[in-house]
Amino acid sequence: MAGNGPRVTKRSLNAYIDELHQKIASLQQNGERIDPSPLSPDYAEDRSPDLKHDSPQLSRSSVHDHEESHQLHQEIEDPASGLTNPLSTGPPAFMSADNGRTFYLGTSSNWSFARRVLSLTHEHIYQEALPTGALIFDGATYDLGWDGLRRSHSTAEPPAVPTYDHAMYLINVVKFRCGQLYHLFDESEFMANLQEFYSEPKPNATTGLWYVHFLLILAFGKGFVKHKVQGNRPPGADYFVKALEMLPDVIVLHEAPIESTEVMCCIALYLQALDCRSSAHNYIGQAMRMAMAEGMHTQMPIEYLGENMVQRCRKIWWTVYILDREMTSLMGLPQTLNDDQINTLLPTFPGSMQRTAAIGMHIRLSRIIAEINGSVYAIDGRINRNFLLRTKSALANIASLADELRRAFPLQMDREISGVSRISAYLHLLYHQCIVLATRPLLFCFLKIRFESPENCIEVLNTSRTVRNLIQMSMDSAQQIICILHSLQTEGLLETFLSFDLESIFVSTVVLLMGPAIDTRWTYPIWLEKAYTIFEEIIESGNLLAKFRRSELHLLDELLSCFPQEHPRCLSAPVSFPNNVLNNNSQVSLASSFPPSGQAQPTASTAQAQLEHDILSDPGVGVGVGVPALDDQELGFTSRLTAEQIMAVADSIESIDTEWMSNAMIEHSIW
C-alpha cells in the first residue's frame, strides 16, 4: 500500500535538517533571539517561562523572522512530516469483486486489515495482484432468498409460527445469548403481547409492529439453536425476511419510536451475523437517529416520563450506542457522534448491580475503540511523528481499565472452581482487541520492511526495544484472545451465530500468522492449532462465514510460508478456494493448516509435550512460546497484563522512538 510520493532517503532528510539549522543560525546572527528550548527533547517539561524576547515591541520584519524561525523549529521536530500509519495513508484503498462491485477498505476494519496483509504478501511473492475470485465480500456469504421488495400485509403470507412452548424456548435462548450484552426487547411489554397473541386468534394479529418484532426474535432464536443449514440460507431466514417484508416505512415507524428503535437494533445485529456489514451499519445508524430524535441521549426526566419508560430508553440508547461504535469500527469508518453530546445515565437492574457495571465497562471499551479509530487511524494517516505517541495515548486509556476489568469481571479460568462467565469473557475479548487494534499497524510496517529488505529487518527491529515490546504486546493479546475462546469452547459457551467470537478469533489468528514472517522467534504453533480448532467448532455449528474466514487464513499461511525462502515453493492449493469451499464436504485436517516452510519447526516429541500441557491451567505459562527470555532491562509479559505493565510499555515510547520509526518508514517507503 505504498503511496505515490517521492522516496525520501535518510541522507536527503539529514541534509534537509542541516539546512534548517543553518537558516536558524543565520537568523540568530542577525540579532533575533530564538528560544532554544524546542530543540530540547524535554521541551514540554523544561521550557522556562523567562525565555522572552528582549524587546517588548517587535518590528513587522522581526515578527516575520521569528514566525519563520518557529516554523523551522517545528519542521525539525517533525522532520518531513514523515511518520504515518500505513493502513490509513495515501489515496483511499478499494478492492473489486468478480461481479464488478467495488468495496472501500476502511482503515481500522479487521476485514480490511486481513485483505491488505493478504494482498501485500501475494503481490510480493508473485509480483501480481491477488485475484478477487479468492475472496469473499460483504453480503456474499448467505442468500436470504429475497428480492428486497416489500409486500403489503394482505399479500404477504405469514410464516408458520412455533407453538407457545417452542416460542418461549427460543425467546429464552435469545435472552441468554443476547440479553446480557444488548437490549433487544422490553420483556414486560413483549411478553404481554406474546400471551395475547397465543391466547386467542385475532384478525389483525399478524399485522402490527409487535408481530414484526416477534418474527425477528424468532429468527435470532433459530440462529442460536439450529446448527445445520440448507445450502447457503441462514437459520431463521424465513422469519427474518417476512419481518423485513412487513416492516413499515420509516414515516410510520416514527409513530412508535421506542419499539421501532428496538426493531432496528434487531435487524442490524442479525445482518451483522450474516456478514452484511454495510446494511447492518445503515440500520444501526437509523436506530441512532431515531433514538436521538426521542431524546434518549439526554437525561430524560423521570418525573415527567415515568421510571419504566426512562429505564427502557436508557437500555435502548446504550445498546444502540455500543452497536454503532463497534459496527463502525468493523467497517473502518469515522464515528459520527461526539461523546460530549451524550449525558444520559446508565440503566439500573433491580437486584443486579453487576449488569449495570457490565454495561458501563462495555461502553468504556467501545469508547476506547472509537478513540483508537480516530487517532491511530486518522484520516490520510498523516499524523506526523505522533503515530507512536497516539499509540502511547491509546495504550494509556486501555491500561486505565485493566485492573478494574480483572477485579470486577474475573475470568475464573480454573474450571475446578467455577465456569467462565460469558459476559466477563466478552469484555476481556473486547479489551484485548483494543490492544491489537492499537498496535497492529506496527506489524504491517515491519512485514513490509521484511519484504523490502529481509536481510536488514531483524537488525532494524532490534534497534528499538520499545517498538519490539509493542509488537510483543500485540502477540500476547492475540494469544490471550485464543485462550479465552478456548475456555468458552470447553464450557460450551462459544458463540457460533453472532459474529463477535468469530471476529475475535480471526483478528488474533492474523496477528499470530504475521509474527513468524517478521521474526522467526515469534512462532506460536500451539496457539495457532488451538485457533483452528475453534474455527472448526464454529464451522460445524453451521456458520458459513467461518469457512471463508478460515480458508482466507489458510491462504495467508501458505503465502507467508513461501517467504523468506530463496526459492519460494508453489502453492499446493488453487487460489480460488472460496468458490468451492461450500461444496467441499471433505474435512480439512488440522495438520494441513500448517504448510511446510523453510523455518525450523518443533520436533514431534516437543510438539506433543506442549500439547499435553494445558495452557489454561496456568495462563502465565506458555505465553511467548518461541521468544527468548527478556533480560531485566526488557519488559516481559504474561497473559495477565496488568495496568502497570501496559503503562510501562506506553511510558517507554519517547521522541527518540518516533524519530527512529520515522526514519525506518521513510527508508522503506511505507506511506
Side-chain angles (χ1 to χ4, degrees):
M1 310 307 136
N4 298 321
R7 178 173 177 133
V8 181
T9 65
K10 185 174 181 180
R11 181 177 179 181
S12 61
L13 177 62
N14 292 335
Y16 174 67
I17 295 176
D18 290 341
E19 182 182 349
L20 295 180
H21 277 294
Q22 292 175 5
K23 289 183 179 180
I24 293 174
S26 175
L27 289 171
Q28 290 175 328
Q29 290 175 359
N30 291 335
E32 181 63 40
R33 183 172 182 177
I34 306 298
D35 183 357
S37 53
L39 296 176
S40 168
D42 299 322
Y43 168 61
E45 292 78 20
D46 299 338
R47 185 171 185 178
S48 172
D50 37 90
L51 288 176
K52 300 178 180 179
H53 297 287
D54 293 332
S55 172
Q57 294 181 347
L58 299 175
S59 66
R60 180 175 301 179
S61 174
S62 63
V63 169
H64 174 75
D65 291 342
H66 177 70
E67 290 177 348
E68 181 180 354
S69 66
H70 179 70
Q71 181 181 0
L72 294 177
H73 281 301
Q74 291 294 100
E75 293 182 27
I76 288 177
E77 180 150 343
D78 292 318
S81 295
L83 186 55
T84 64
N85 178 352
L87 299 176
S88 55
T89 302
F94 293 85
M95 183 175 286
S96 296
D98 274 357
N99 61 8
R101 182 182 172 189
T102 301
F103 294 84
Y104 169 60
L105 298 181
T107 56
S108 62
S109 163
N110 297 330
W111 168 80
S112 172
F113 180 78
R115 291 294 162 87
R116 289 170 185 253
V117 173
L118 191 58
S119 296
L120 175 69
T121 307
H122 188 278
E123 289 171 9
H124 172 76
I125 292 175
Y126 294 104
Q127 305 302 309
E128 61 181 24
L130 177 71
T132 57
L135 306 172
I136 191 71
F137 288 87
D138 180 46
T141 303
Y142 293 95
D143 181 11
L144 287 170
W146 181 43
D147 58 10
L149 299 178
R150 300 281 179 87
R151 270 72 178 179
S152 66
H153 298 315
S154 58
T155 60
E157 181 181 349
V161 298
T163 63
Y164 175 77
D165 290 342
H166 190 187
M168 285 297 300
Y169 166 68
L170 294 177
I171 292 170
N172 285 328
V173 170
V174 175
K175 286 169 58 178
F176 176 74
R177 293 290 192 178
C178 292
Q180 299 179 77
L181 292 172
Y182 308 110
H183 172 89
L184 298 182
F185 61 90
D186 180 73
E187 187 167 356
S188 59
E189 181 179 300
F190 188 88
M191 299 308 292
N193 286 323
L194 183 74
Q195 293 286 350
E196 183 178 352
F197 177 81
Y198 278 98
S199 60
E200 55 184 73
K202 294 184 178 179
N204 298 323
T206 61
T207 59
L209 182 62
W210 176 85
Y211 182 70
V212 172
H213 202 171
F214 175 53
L215 292 178
L216 291 171
I217 298 301
L218 291 180
F220 272 110
K222 286 291 187 179
F224 290 129
V225 302
K226 189 176 180 182
H227 292 168
K228 299 297 181 182
V229 295
Q230 296 178 346
N232 57 351
R233 188 169 172 82
D238 290 341
Y239 296 126
F240 183 73
V241 168
K242 289 299 179 184
L244 291 186
E245 287 181 341
M246 301 173 66
L247 185 69
D249 187 80
V250 67
I251 299 175
V252 178
L253 290 176
H254 274 288
E255 296 178 3
I258 306 299
E259 187 170 16
S260 293
T261 307
E262 295 170 338
V263 166
M264 292 293 183
C265 286
C266 290
I267 296 173
L269 193 58
Y270 188 89
L271 287 171
Q272 187 72 28
L274 305 189
D275 198 38
C276 298
R277 295 182 304 275
S278 296
S279 299
H281 188 250
N282 273 281
Y283 272 105
I284 202 61
Q286 291 185 52
M288 172 74 76
R289 282 151 183 78
M290 194 171 290
M292 292 181 67
E294 293 304 304
M296 294 186 196
H297 62 298
T298 68
Q299 291 193 33
M300 304 175 77
I302 294 177
E303 62 276 9
Y304 181 73
L305 300 172
E307 178 74 21
N308 291 337
M309 180 179 178
V310 170
Q311 289 296 333
R312 181 178 180 181
C313 287
R314 289 175 181 173
K315 295 172 187 175
I316 293 172
W317 170 257
W318 289 118
T319 292
V320 172
Y321 175 92
I322 290 168
L323 286 175
D324 178 71
R325 286 291 187 269
E326 294 180 4
M327 289 181 180
T328 299
S329 174
L330 292 174
M331 287 290 294
L333 300 176
Q335 300 290 342
T336 57
L337 181 64
N338 193 319
D339 286 336
D340 294 338
Q341 301 167 330
I342 304 170
N343 63 355
T344 188
L345 303 177
L346 293 177
T348 57
F349 299 88
S352 181
M353 294 181 61
Q354 185 76 352
R355 289 191 65 184
T356 300
I359 292 175
M361 181 61 70
H362 201 174
I363 292 167
R364 292 163 72 183
L365 289 167
S366 298
R367 284 179 171 168
I368 288 177
I369 289 176
E371 291 169 4
I372 294 171
N373 288 347
S375 57
V376 178
Y377 298 86
I379 295 176
D380 194 35
R382 300 225 171 246
I383 46 181
N384 301 327
R385 64 189 295 170
N386 292 331
F387 172 42
L388 283 182
L389 298 181
R390 297 286 177 87
T391 303
K392 175 178 182 176
S393 175
L395 290 176
N397 291 335
I398 295 170
S400 67
L401 299 182
D403 292 341
E404 180 182 347
L405 177 63
R406 186 175 296 107
R407 181 177 61 255
F409 302 96
L411 283 174
Q412 297 176 334
M413 292 292 200
D414 190 346
R415 296 186 297 275
E416 294 180 0
I417 299 176
S418 62
V420 179
S421 163
R422 178 66 246 197
I423 184 63
S424 295
Y426 180 80
L427 294 175
H428 281 267
L429 288 170
L430 197 60
Y431 167 81
H432 284 287
Q433 284 195 65
C434 288
I435 295 177
V436 172
L437 186 65
T439 54
R440 72 183 178 191
L442 289 172
L443 280 165
F444 190 87
C445 288
F446 278 95
L447 183 64
K448 193 171 190 301
I449 290 175
R450 182 72 165 163
F451 289 159
E452 294 276 341
S453 181
E455 66 281 357
N456 296 329
C457 181
I458 303 302
E459 180 181 352
V460 172
L461 184 60
N462 288 335
T463 304
S464 174
R465 182 173 297 162
T466 296
V467 172
R468 189 175 186 88
N469 282 332
L470 285 169
I471 296 178
Q472 181 68 60
M473 179 182 286
S474 187
M475 298 287 180
D476 290 344
S477 281
Q479 293 170 73
Q480 183 65 354
I481 287 173
I482 296 173
C483 182
I484 296 169
L485 291 173
H486 180 75
S487 183
L488 289 172
Q489 181 185 23
T490 303
E491 295 287 334
L493 292 175
L494 196 64
E495 179 52 59
T496 59
F497 179 68
L498 296 181
S499 61
F500 299 109
D501 281 359
L502 176 59
E503 204 71 38
S504 295
I505 193 63
F506 184 68
V507 167
S508 58
T509 308
V510 171
V511 168
L512 294 184
L513 286 175
M514 294 175 69
I518 298 171
D519 187 338
T520 55
R521 289 175 291 181
W522 279 320
T523 303
Y524 307 95
I526 304 304
W527 290 99
L528 284 170
E529 186 165 347
K530 286 182 180 293
Y532 283 120
T533 60
I534 293 168
F535 267 105
E536 288 299 328
E537 176 156 331
I538 297 176
I539 292 170
E540 289 174 3
S541 298
N543 192 309
L544 301 185
L545 177 59
K547 280 190 175 184
F548 287 107
R549 291 288 182 90
R550 183 194 61 182
S551 298
E552 194 168 321
L553 292 172
H554 283 169
L555 178 58
L556 178 60
D557 196 354
E558 274 203 67
L559 288 172
L560 289 174
S561 71
C562 296
F563 184 85
Q565 297 180 63
E566 186 176 354
H567 301 289
R569 62 179 175 83
C570 296
L571 292 180
S572 60
V575 173
S576 57
F577 59 90
N579 294 333
N580 55 24
V581 68
L582 293 179
N583 300 321
N584 184 7
N585 296 323
S586 60
Q587 295 294 323
V588 179
S589 66
L590 197 59
S592 67
S593 66
F594 300 99
S597 69
Q599 301 170 7
Q601 300 294 328
T603 63
S605 59
T606 303
Q608 181 63 31
Q610 288 175 310
L611 280 172
E612 290 175 354
H613 174 71
D614 185 358
I615 298 176
L616 291 178
S617 65
D618 183 0
V621 177
V623 177
V625 174
V627 178
L630 302 176
D631 57 42
D632 293 338
Q633 295 180 339
E634 291 187 285
L635 296 168
F637 298 98
T638 69
S639 60
R640 297 175 178 176
L641 288 172
T642 65
E644 290 76 14
Q645 288 174 313
I646 298 174
M647 281 306 303
V649 176
D651 289 340
S652 70
I653 301 175
E654 301 293 347
S655 297
I656 188 172
D657 297 300
T658 63
E659 292 171 0
W660 172 84
M661 192 66 198
S662 178
N663 289 335
M665 297 178 77
I666 291 172
E667 194 73 19
H668 295 275
S669 301
I670 305 177
W671 50 8

